[in-house]
Amino acid sequence: LFGFQGSEIYREVWPRLEGLEFATIPFLFETAIVIGLATADGQIILCPEDDVVYEAGDKLIVIAEDNDTYAPHPDMLPALVYEPENHAIGEIPRVQQRVSVLICGWRRDIADLLRELEFFCPAGSTVCILSPVSIAERTKQMREGNRSTLDHLDRITVEHKIGDPLARHDLAELHLERFTTVLVVCDVRQESEGLVADGRTMGICLLIRDVMQSRASAPASPSPGQQGGPNI
């Protein structure tokens, strides 16, 4: 492993993480990438299995800008989560404040994504889906495979918008300032063509940033709600 200036490798003990499974831990750090564990007995484990438990004396291996630029987010330790495989209660971070999510693109399995957002997002959160796919076709695909996600969305409200995420005017009409998070998914039409899908994803991200910067530099007052733009 190689570290570079601004992206250095650190190992540190975090007593507050003791007892948590590794599947939970990466979500607790907003300014570092968790890549492994250095166990108390000297073993180095990169990309541990999800069920590996962080124990006393273990050191977390991360990539970060500096050793004082990262720490577990205090608002995300601990919280309850629903584990679909065994209907049990475990430990995992959960968002505390209402969020507004924009999903750019469409996938046949997007119902699974909505199900995850339904659990992790607080009540009153909203999800807006922007895609050229018709509303009728979206509804049909989300009910395929006996999925009943649409019938059990109590915490989030889903808003469907017809448009192309790569079209500036379609993005501008959404008032991007109101979103706290933007998710760009591989479009169903290009999911079999990796390079095309990656290029489209990058183009959408750059266009969103450009629209946000243009709005920020405009003399008009910002719209109420989200300040500073969404996380992309």
Side-chain angles (χ1 to χ4, degrees), residues 125-159:
S125 297
T126 59
V127 177
C128 178
I129 303 175
L130 176 65
S131 169
V133 178
S134 68
I135 305 298
E137 183 62 22
R138 297 184 198 183
T139 303
K140 175 185 175 182
Q141 292 184 13
M142 284 194 289
R143 295 190 181 279
E144 290 178 349
N146 295 321
R147 290 189 179 98
S148 57
T149 301
L150 293 178
D151 300 325
H152 300 88
L153 296 181
D154 300 319
R155 304 173 66 85
I156 65 174
T157 300
V158 179
E159 177 185 8

Side-chain angles (χ1 to χ4, degrees), residues 100 175-182 208-209 211-213 215-216 222-223 225-232:
S100 182
H175 301 291
L176 295 175
E177 298 87 351
R178 67 187 176 101
F179 297 105
T180 56
T181 301
V182 176
I208 289 174
R209 289 188 178 277
V211 172
M212 292 297 301
Q213 290 175 355
R215 286 184 176 273
S223 61
Q226 175 67 19
Q227 299 295 323
N231 299 311
I232 305 175

